[in-house]
Amino acid sequence: MKVVVAIDSFKGSITSADASRFVKNGILSIYADAQVDTVTMADGGEGFLTSLGRSMEAIMRTATVTGPLGTKLPVQYGLVPESNTSIIEIAQVVGLNLVPENSRNPMKTSTYGVGELILDALDQGSRNFIIGLGGSATNDGGVGMLQALGYQFVNKKNKLLGLGGNILPEIESIVVTKVDPRLKECKFLVACDVNNPLFGQNGATHVYGAQKGATPEMIKLLDSGLVNLSNIVKRVLGKTAATVPGVGAAGGLGYAFVAFLNGKIESGSKVVGNAVKLEDLIKECDVVVTGEGRIDNQTIHGKAPASVATLAKKYNKLVVAIAGMVENDIESCHSVGIDAIFCVQREPLTLDEAMNTMTVGNNIVATTAQIFRLIKGVSTTIQPDVRDIVVEEVVEEIQEPLDEKMSGDNAIFGKK
């Protein structure tokens, strides 16, 4: 038995690496001699630096930059000197987890620190950047990052504007005379797990603003501000990128990379998968295990499980997924190649209890063991010729209608 485990983190609960380790333990408890290859997955958000950094053998460097609320904080990023590449996970700079819940306000938070981190990487000789986009506390359209890089945004009175999403409606023009010239030598590959445009009902603010602390009134102001930013960029720079899938990621930070820095957006799972040579591993395996903290109908939109399953089905592999929470609207997940989805939760618990790392780890081991116990049982009892039985023939043998008490929502199993 050869198994590839390519599972994302359960956000706020367990890392991708730890989740993979627990899955492996569950598999080996049933198939003691199984070959299990684990891949640390990420789709642009939490864990992106760890996953990509390990696979690319990056050197970790720490720089002190500005956090989302303006305070200084130490942030790590990866350096790959051989290819002049830097790996940046923006969640480490402006992540939602860095802002206390009672202080979340996307009118004030800024991406300035992301620009500072890029400047530090430029000083180290980097000219190629891989950016993990996701999990931000910001909604400033990436203007803060651009300000750190030398772009200046002015109002109708030609006065420089400050930081935060609240400046977006005031922007009247953009001054580029002080932009760092080294940026012209750079390439930016932006990895993200969403395909939202910059503004509108499916845009950065309407979809993600509330979780960042935006009130309904703030959402209106921020969304109109992003519309204004797009119009100014089109007029001053001649760039139109507001509808490119993914530019709404991280409060519009994706837009700044595409419109100002000629960045290219790709699926984070694909970027990581390519780096760890996931396809080569899947070609040779029997079963693929994937998953994430929550699986629902949004999983198919660039999330790691969907990306892994699509690749696995290219080689007709069995794909099972596990999650801490499984919603009712998961039918679309089967359409992208996930054969079956299992929730690891085994008993009623409070949210805090359910997200406890060791609790989740133990649940992952137990659930995985049951999955592979079933796989082992099926593989040893079902013969090839049995699998070829035509369903219609079996159906024809059922002559009598089922007892009403044995079907539907009120089924009483095991009784007549």
Side-chain angles (χ1 to χ4, degrees):
M1 170 69 73
K2 293 183 179 180
V3 185
V4 170
V5 181
I7 187 169
D8 203 349
S9 64
F10 286 28
K11 189 172 293 185
S13 179
I14 193 168
T15 66
S16 170
D18 285 341
S20 298
R21 177 166 55 86
F22 284 119
V23 169
K24 182 175 181 177
N25 290 344
I27 296 169
L28 294 178
S29 70
I30 305 302
Y31 285 94
D33 58 349
Q35 177 184 319
V36 184
D37 293 308
T38 61
V39 174
T40 304
M41 289 298 294
D43 49 25
E46 180 184 350
F48 181 80
L49 175 61
T50 299
S51 178
L52 209 58
R54 285 176 179 172
S55 62
M56 295 181 70
E57 299 182 345
I59 300 168
M60 290 298 134
R61 174 176 169 80
T62 301
T64 300
V65 299
T66 305
L69 292 176
T71 56
K72 295 292 184 178
L73 72 159
V75 174
Q76 277 196 328
Y77 69 97
L79 286 172
V80 187
E82 295 79 6
S83 58
N84 297 323
T85 299
S86 279
I87 306 166
I88 293 175
E89 179 184 315
I90 68 99
Q92 296 216 7
V93 191
V94 293
L96 191 61
N97 62 305
L98 298 175
V99 183
E101 192 167 346
N102 60 1
S103 299
R104 292 175 183 175
N105 184 345
M107 299 291 282
K108 296 180 179 180
T109 50
S110 167
T111 53
Y112 194 86
V114 178
E116 291 179 312
L117 209 59
I118 291 173
L119 290 177
D120 190 85
L122 288 173
D123 292 341
Q124 304 308 310
S126 292
R127 295 297 181 268
N128 299 304
F129 291 83
I130 305 176
I131 311 292
L133 218 57
S136 82
T138 57
N139 203 116
D140 69 351
V143 167
M145 175 190 74
L146 297 169
Q147 288 169 314
L149 296 175
Y151 287 90
Q152 296 178 314
F153 296 84
V154 298
N155 62 16
K156 291 181 178 180
K157 295 181 179 180
N158 207 36
K159 290 185 177 181
L160 289 178
L161 294 168
L163 301 176
N166 62 331
I167 74 162
L168 294 174
E170 299 180 55
I171 298 174
E172 180 63 24
S173 191
I174 305 168
V175 181
V176 300
T177 54
K178 295 186 177 181
V179 174
D180 194 309
R182 295 175 294 179
L183 292 171
K184 294 180 180 179
E185 306 167 8
C186 297
K187 292 182 179 179
F188 292 88
L189 176 60
V190 181
C192 78
D193 63 351
V194 301
N195 55 13
N196 305 85
L198 180 61
F199 52 78
Q201 290 301 310
N202 294 317
T205 313
H206 280 283
V207 177
Y208 306 107
Q211 70 187 41
K212 301 177 184 186
T215 64
E217 184 60 30
M218 287 181 190
I219 288 175
K220 292 179 182 178
L221 290 171
L222 289 167
D223 191 60
S224 63
L226 291 175
V227 172
N228 180 57
L229 174 63
S230 174
N231 290 335
I232 298 299
V233 169
K234 182 178 180 180
R235 174 169 60 81
V236 177
L237 304 180
K239 298 284 188 70
T240 55
T243 59
V244 173
V247 295
L253 184 53
Y255 173 78
F257 277 107
V258 173
F260 289 81
L261 304 176
N262 297 314
K264 179 183 179 183
I265 293 181
E266 282 194 8
S267 159
S269 301
K270 180 179 178 181
V271 172
V272 173
N274 289 341
V276 300
K277 296 181 172 55
L278 179 60
E279 185 166 0
D280 290 341
L281 293 174
I282 286 177
K283 283 180 185 178
E284 305 301 324
C285 79
D286 301 300
V287 181
V288 175
V289 180
T290 187
E292 61 181 346
R294 174 179 180 147
I295 291 181
D296 55 25
N297 67 346
Q298 291 301 307
T299 298
I300 66 172
H301 298 296
K303 300 288 187 178
S307 178
V308 170
T310 300
L311 183 59
K313 284 308 175 186
K314 181 178 176 181
Y315 299 98
N316 198 33
K317 304 299 181 179
L318 175 66
V319 181
V320 294
I322 62 172
M325 178 182 291
V326 179
E327 296 288 357
N328 292 325
D329 55 355
I330 59 171
E331 195 60 36
S332 59
C333 297
H334 300 305
S335 69
V336 297
I338 300 177
D339 293 300
I341 301 169
F342 300 85
C343 179
V344 302
Q345 188 68 24
R346 294 188 294 159
E347 61 181 333
L349 296 172
T350 66
L351 181 60
D352 287 343
E353 290 172 336
M355 294 185 68
N356 176 271
T357 300
M358 286 311 302
T359 299
V360 174
N362 290 332
N363 285 344
I364 287 175
V365 172
T367 302
T368 304
Q370 290 302 313
I371 292 170
F372 279 83
R373 188 177 296 278
L374 174 62
I375 290 173
K376 188 174 187 178
V378 169
S379 64
T380 56
T381 58
I382 297 182
Q383 301 301 317
D385 57 330
V386 177
R387 297 190 189 104
D388 295 333
I389 295 176
V390 180
V391 175
E392 286 77 2
E393 293 178 356
V394 177
V395 173
E396 287 176 0
E397 295 177 6
I398 303 175
Q399 301 295 329
E400 298 181 3
L402 293 174
D403 190 306
E404 199 172 62
K405 293 183 180 180
M406 294 289 289
S407 63
D409 293 336
N410 298 315
I412 304 174
F413 297 102
K415 297 181 180 181
K416 294 185 180 180

